[in-house]
Amino acid sequence: MLSSQQFQTLFDATLNRYCEARFLTPSQLSDTQWYQFLATLSHQTVLQHFPANAPLANTRKVNYLSMEFLIGRLLGNNLLSLGLYDETNQQLAKYGKNLVDILEQERDPSLGNGGLGRLAACYLDSMASLSQPAIGYGLHYQYGLFKQAFGDEGQQLESGDGWERDFYPQQYHRADFRQTVGFGGKVSLISGDKYAWQPEWTIFGEAFDLPVVGYKGVQQPLRLWQGYSESAFDLATFNDGDYLDAESRVVDAAKLTKVLYPNDNHAEGKALRLMQQYFHCACSVADILKNHLAQGRTLEQLPEFEVIQLNDTHPAIAIPELLRLLLDQYDLSWEQAWAIASKTFAYTNHTLLPEALEQWDQKLLTQLLPRHILIIERINDQLRQQVEAAFDKAEFDAAWQETAVLFDQRVRMANLCVVGSFAVNGVAQIHSDLVVSDLFPAYARLFEGRFHNVTNGITPRRWIRQANPKLSALLDQHIQGDWTQDLSLLNQIEPLAKNPAFQTAYRAIKQQNKQALAAEIEQTLGLKVNCEAIFDVQIKRFHEYKRQHLNLLNIIATYQSLKANPQQDFVPRVFIFAGKAAPGYFMAKQIIQAINGVANVINQDPDMQGKLQVAFLPDYRVSLAEKIIPAADVSEQISLAGKEASGTGNMKLALNGAITLGTLDGANVEIAEFAGNENVVIFGHTVDSVRELREQGYVSKTYYEQDAVLKQAIDTLADGTFSNGDTERFEALVNDMLNHDYFCVLADFASYREAQDIVAKRYQDQTAWVESTILNTARLGAFSSDRSIRDYQTRIWKK
Ligand code: GFP
């Protein structure tokens, strides 16, 4: 580590060099240049003065394979971890600069979509902080997820987000780690289990390393692969007629890693997505094996020293890839290869939604990866024998239908993961239970002891220390020990929950954070919001199961009630939204547009000023979340029970003192348990009552016909009130709610309205409210990603 004196010297010398190279003096540097200088300085400091790679002690090294890493801005986070944040601020002050302003210059690398990618980033942070040996493997996308703006009619507009990876000072190119990846071609049998594969094309993988800096820990790489090749190749060879759009037939290999596919709708039949997945896995598995062997270890020792953690099914093809190398390159028998691979992989499931469970057309996979399909067939045959042995004749068909990897000409990637892994985990207790009871009951019987739960967590370094410096300072004052490293220490503030001085301080911080967010809202939307109102926040990607439209219906109903009875006793609210919809997801885009339409009318209505306001902030990203979360009073976690695997925004918001308004879904259940039922507001159907509702034959229209408030809300969405008289704009959304409503929005509407009333009533008693919010902070230390990583260590990665 660097002493303060050494850092000052390094700061001055690097600044001199930076300025000389540009013929500028420090006073002439723009904020962007200050950012570049500081990012370079911090990057060099990390590499030269921070310990690299944790030693292997009683644990295996974790190779975390994920198609997404939503890492957020790195500079502030790294300076904090290096212990150089305040030091840097002091140095900058000499030049009249403020670190907070400079940090705003950094662009978020948008290498992910939502929770899954952000979880991966939190886990890398925790592993580096806990000195758990680890490396993250991902893709170096040229364009991250799109940038979101809103059009004149409130519709989502998308544009490419070139996150400037070519000028990104916090990574370095590992020219020595180049990999070669084949596609297509022919396979010929050599002997026994050994085949020779002659690919038709090869693509090179280049590695870019971003050091992940643990808090007072070590730095470990996030290794991102980028494709390149000298020639383009014609994807039409793989094309069965309708896989690809005409314009994407000829693919320049360099473009393989150009785009990030949104993960919520499985990119059915998209050959490019499958190619990305294989490219990611082939580069990563080769790198893992190379590193393992370089240490003089044998192939048989692989599971003793390495674990490959699959973040959802997207890297599932790594399983047959490792088998292929062991069989064809290293000449092992099937039994030997299987014994190694099946003890090396572990799989995390993040969803039960059938449409999000990946399946690939067998024909496409055969054309792209002819050797891998043979291996998958072999796995399938072996599995069939196991299922035949474990289930009697009467049960077999049902068991096979559930467990087969190859079924109906499709390759089921979740099944491949379960069969090829030694451990499978869900991401919150209720979700892990449903994985066993609803998704994979036959597997649970077949593979006893394979299924686990590891409830998600969030890194307190970014989500409290960095995002909420004022709350952090208060916690520092009252907590013995470093809560940033041990979040369970937060329980030390529990006795202060009723203390008037502490309450005043805690509340003042929330108020200041609300003012800061209000300034951001005004700057972005030109809307002045009332900081005395409840800041009611729903921030997450848009999906029907997350039910942003339930929130919307309540806003419309509240608006109508206020219009009808302006004198009513009303607790002012600002509803705050942020989130993107996948470009091809029509219904989610309708919901976005409808929220903007409603916001437009309400915000312009003079009767609503200071009472009811709606702020939809565009282009949701990590750095925006860091501004919204500390300012939230209410955390909307209103998915249909059984559909949200865990959630992590719910943890961030609650820890920062927002009251959860939620269904008994995902980690909400555990948040309620820890915080205490009196410190959350729970509503709506449960997993069991949703099941009953469906069994009885759910008809959403009945709710509409029987509830005048609901009817009026939906009718005004349909009649053009919120779309400048256009009665067609929200037709699809209205029709869906009335005739399908798969996510039971209408069935939960009345209960949600009541819950919203409870929130308003509680807020009026500020002393009780603040006490509740303090208790949320005090009692939720278990939701640190450090705890999750420890759970992985003891339940899954143990030797
Ligand atoms: C998914 C699930 C969430 C879960 C995260 C991380 O998030 O419930 O919290 O993974 O496990 F849906 P998204 O990527 O879908 O946002």
Side-chain angles (χ1 to χ4, degrees):
M1 292 290 272
L2 223 51
S3 73
S4 175
Q5 186 55 47
Q6 284 170 315
F7 179 67
Q8 260 185 45
T9 314
L10 188 67
F11 185 101
D12 292 338
T14 316
L15 182 61
N16 269 341
R17 272 203 310 276
Y18 186 89
C19 289
E20 269 169 31
R22 285 159 188 78
F23 304 104
L24 293 171
T25 62
S27 63
Q28 291 169 314
L29 294 182
S30 66
D31 281 0
T32 312
Q33 286 169 321
W34 273 108
Y35 159 69
Q36 282 174 345
F37 152 69
L38 279 181
T40 312
L41 174 69
S42 118
H43 185 64
Q44 285 167 4
T45 310
V46 168
L47 294 183
Q48 288 164 19
H49 302 279
F50 208 66
N53 297 321
L56 270 185
N58 289 323
T59 175
R60 314 196 230 175
K61 177 172 176 206
V62 174
N63 300 275
Y64 199 88
L65 264 61
S66 178
M67 292 284 281
E68 302 183 14
F69 286 94
L70 207 45
I71 51 175
R73 291 173 173 165
L74 289 184
L75 180 56
N77 191 72
N78 288 357
L79 290 173
L80 268 176
S81 293
L82 289 163
L84 294 173
Y85 193 95
D86 295 336
E87 204 77 53
T88 306
N89 216 358
Q90 284 160 22
Q91 293 297 322
L92 284 174
K94 290 199 226 155
Y95 301 95
K97 290 285 160 190
N98 177 346
L99 183 54
V100 173
D101 297 336
I102 306 298
L103 296 181
E104 279 297 308
Q105 303 302 312
E106 181 170 353
R107 207 134 154 204
D108 290 39
S110 69
L111 303 176
N113 276 287
L116 173 141
R118 182 53 231 175
L119 183 77
C122 283
Y123 282 179
L124 292 186
D125 175 277
S126 279
M127 289 191 283
S129 300
L130 294 171
S131 292
Q132 160 64 49
I135 174 166
Y137 284 107
L139 288 180
H140 200 238
Y141 301 105
Q142 182 174 356
Y143 295 103
L145 194 64
F146 62 91
K147 262 177 112 57
Q148 179 198 55
F150 300 131
D152 290 345
E153 293 179 345
Q155 73 278 29
Q156 171 174 287
L157 303 175
E158 297 123 20
S159 60
D161 187 353
W163 56 280
E164 295 173 351
R165 68 172 182 180
D166 299 338
F167 316 100
Y168 192 68
Q170 323 219 41
Q171 64 180 1
Y172 64 116
H173 182 203
R174 306 299 304 254
D176 47 332
F177 289 173
R178 192 197 227 214
Q179 301 293 352
T180 307
V181 181
F183 289 98
K186 291 195 187 62
V187 172
S188 41
L189 178 65
I190 304 289
S191 68
D193 290 308
K194 189 175 163 80
Y195 285 76
W197 175 26
Q198 291 98 33
E200 197 165 344
W201 296 280
T202 48
I203 296 177
F204 301 115
E206 289 191 302
F208 289 81
D209 276 7
L210 270 81
V212 176
V213 186
Y215 183 72
K216 300 184 181 168
V218 296
Q219 52 105 351
Q220 309 191 114
L222 165 56
R223 184 156 298 158
L224 302 174
W225 300 104
Q226 178 176 319
Y228 83 99
S229 144
E230 277 79 38
S231 56
F233 53 90
D234 185 3
L235 265 179
T237 322
F238 301 133
N239 193 9
D240 196 27
D242 43 24
Y243 284 126
L244 305 164
D245 304 324
E247 72 269 22
S248 62
R249 287 192 182 182
V250 178
V251 176
D252 176 347
K255 307 230 168 81
L256 185 63
T257 43
K258 194 166 179 164
V259 293
L260 162 69
Y261 283 99
N263 72 341
D264 41 11
N265 287 351
H266 165 46
E268 183 70 38
K270 290 266 191 258
L272 258 179
R273 166 78 172 176
L274 181 56
M275 289 179 78
Q276 282 187 339
Q277 293 186 347
Y278 178 60
F279 173 76
H280 170 226
C281 292
C283 292
S284 308
V285 169
D287 198 53
I288 294 165
L289 272 187
K290 187 190 81 183
N291 294 340
H292 175 74
L293 295 173
Q295 296 178 63
R297 294 175 181 143
T298 66
L299 289 169
E300 284 72 21
Q301 286 177 307
L302 189 73
E304 207 185 308
F305 290 96
E306 308 284 333
V307 60
I308 302 179
Q309 188 71 41
L310 303 173
N311 197 26
D312 218 326
T313 55
H314 318 144
I317 200 77
I319 297 172
E321 173 64 3
L322 176 62
L323 286 163
R324 179 185 78 81
L325 293 175
L326 296 177
L327 293 165
D328 299 350
Q329 197 167 313
Y330 294 101
D331 268 333
L332 299 192
S333 69
W334 174 263
E335 288 70 27
Q336 289 168 317
W338 181 254
I340 294 171
S342 60
K343 281 188 259 154
T344 302
F345 290 98
Y347 156 56
T348 306
N349 172 285
H350 296 268
T351 182
L352 302 168
L353 292 187
E355 69 270 27
L357 290 172
E358 288 186 303
Q359 301 194 0
W360 290 105
D361 185 295
Q362 188 171 348
K363 202 163 164 194
L364 173 68
L365 218 140
T366 307
Q367 288 167 335
L368 266 181
L369 301 170
R371 176 61 180 118
H372 297 76
I373 196 75
L374 294 178
I375 292 172
I376 292 170
E377 282 168 6
R378 176 87 198 241
I379 295 174
N380 203 45
D381 291 345
Q382 178 178 287
L383 175 72
R384 194 180 167 104
Q385 287 174 15
Q386 281 178 286
V387 177
E388 275 170 355
F391 294 85
D392 60 37
K393 277 212 168 67
E395 298 169 318
F396 175 80
D397 281 349
W400 183 241
Q401 187 152 351
E402 177 200 315
T403 54
V405 175
L406 266 170
F407 199 81
D408 221 5
Q409 307 290 308
R410 333 228 3 112
V411 184
R412 306 198 293 200
M413 303 312 259
N415 293 38
L416 179 59
C417 287
V418 175
V419 177
S421 299
F422 67 90
V424 177
N425 75 283
V427 288
Q429 191 60 56
I430 186 176
H431 168 67
S432 299
D433 293 344
L434 288 168
V435 167
V436 168
S437 63
D438 288 22
L439 191 61
F440 295 136
Y443 275 136
R445 228 174 98 177
L446 198 60
F447 302 132
E448 241 191 86
R450 187 167 298 187
F451 291 86
H452 305 266
N453 173 55
V454 177
T455 298
N456 285 343
I458 58 108
T459 167
R461 273 75 66 181
R462 181 174 293 270
W463 295 108
I464 307 179
R465 172 72 69 195
Q466 182 179 317
N468 201 342
K470 295 192 172 75
L471 178 63
S472 300
L474 183 71
L475 297 174
D476 287 343
Q477 251 174 50
H478 293 274
I479 293 176
Q480 301 276 330
D482 189 351
W483 55 270
T484 335
Q485 275 180 304
D486 176 2
L487 205 60
S488 67
L489 298 178
L490 289 183
N491 64 14
Q492 290 179 25
I493 63 165
E494 180 156 351
L496 299 170
K498 282 187 195 301
N499 175 311
F502 190 78
Q503 282 199 351
T504 307
Y506 189 96
R507 192 168 148 201
I509 288 165
K510 180 64 79 182
Q511 207 50 33
Q512 288 163 23
N513 290 337
K514 285 168 78 170
Q515 276 152 5
L517 178 60
E520 177 81 19
I521 292 173
E522 189 172 359
Q523 200 189 354
T524 314
L525 302 175
L527 175 70
K528 245 186 175 33
V529 295
N530 173 10
C531 289
E532 299 308 315
I534 299 176
F535 276 23
D536 183 318
V537 165
Q538 191 170 18
I539 44 173
K540 49 185 81 243
R541 75 189 165 80
F542 272 72
H543 197 289
E544 285 159 281
Y545 85 77
K546 297 182 190 274
R547 303 200 297 188
Q548 282 95 346
H549 47 328
L550 175 58
N551 190 343
L552 179 66
L553 287 179
N554 172 60
I555 296 174
I556 299 174
T558 307
Y559 176 55
Q560 283 158 345
S561 153
L562 278 171
K563 288 300 268 185
N565 179 7
Q567 301 314 322
Q568 66 182 275
D569 188 14
F570 183 76
V571 185
R573 285 267 182 152
V574 183
F575 287 94
I576 296 162
F577 291 90
K580 296 177 182 177
Y585 189 175
F586 174 74
M587 201 55 79
K589 291 170 98 169
Q590 277 259 301
I591 298 171
I592 288 184
Q593 191 167 11
I595 294 172
N596 277 325
V598 169
N600 194 29
V601 170
I602 292 180
N603 295 339
Q604 285 183 35
D605 186 331
D607 297 344
M608 294 300 121
Q609 293 234 331
K611 271 191 186 173
L612 182 65
Q613 295 175 298
V614 185
F616 193 155
L617 289 161
D619 205 31
Y620 187 47
R621 58 202 180 278
V622 175
S623 57
L624 182 57
E626 286 172 31
K627 292 177 182 153
I628 299 173
I629 288 168
D633 293 311
V634 173
S635 158
E636 298 264 359
Q637 307 300 336
I638 61 177
S639 51
L640 176 65
K643 299 294 174 195
E644 186 70 271
S646 164
T648 44
N650 46 3
M651 302 167 185
K652 296 164 196 166
L653 283 155
L655 276 160
N656 279 281
I659 298 294
T660 302
L661 167 57
T663 47
L664 282 176
D665 201 14
N668 297 351
V669 177
E670 288 156 76
I671 289 176
E673 273 166 26
F674 280 98
N677 280 332
E678 62 292 1
N679 298 311
V680 295
V681 181
I682 299 294
F683 75 96
H685 282 82
T686 60
V687 169
D688 289 339
S689 70
V690 171
R691 202 170 280 141
E692 279 163 29
L693 200 62
R694 291 205 199 285
E695 277 163 13
Q696 290 157 8
Y698 173 57
V699 182
S700 58
K701 218 178 207 151
T702 324
Y703 292 84
Y704 164 82
E705 280 156 0
Q706 290 174 358
D707 182 337
V709 175
L710 174 60
K711 183 170 186 309
Q712 201 195 352
I714 294 183
D715 287 349
T716 31
L717 198 53
D719 73 10
T721 304
F722 302 114
S723 43
N724 277 329
D726 180 350
T727 51
E728 284 170 16
R729 192 175 299 166
F730 304 129
E731 207 177 350
L733 176 60
V734 169
N735 271 340
D736 185 81
M737 288 195 284
L738 293 183
N739 301 315
H740 306 286
D741 192 22
Y742 182 70
F743 297 105
C744 306
V745 168
L746 273 55
D748 272 349
F749 177 78
S751 159
Y752 179 57
R753 294 266 305 157
E754 279 167 28
Q756 283 288 19
D757 282 345
I758 295 173
V759 167
K761 285 205 185 76
R762 286 204 200 159
Y763 193 77
Q764 279 173 309
D765 180 352
Q766 270 296 302
T767 310
W769 179 272
V770 178
E771 182 187 338
S772 251
T773 59
I774 295 171
L775 289 175
N776 268 274
T777 305
R779 293 178 175 174
L780 298 184
F783 295 100
S784 162
S785 45
D786 297 347
R787 189 270 312 142
S788 309
I789 291 303
R790 289 204 182 93
D791 285 351
Y792 272 105
Q793 287 172 328
T794 53
R795 294 173 196 172
I796 295 176
W797 302 334
K798 60 183 183 284
K799 275 206 174 192

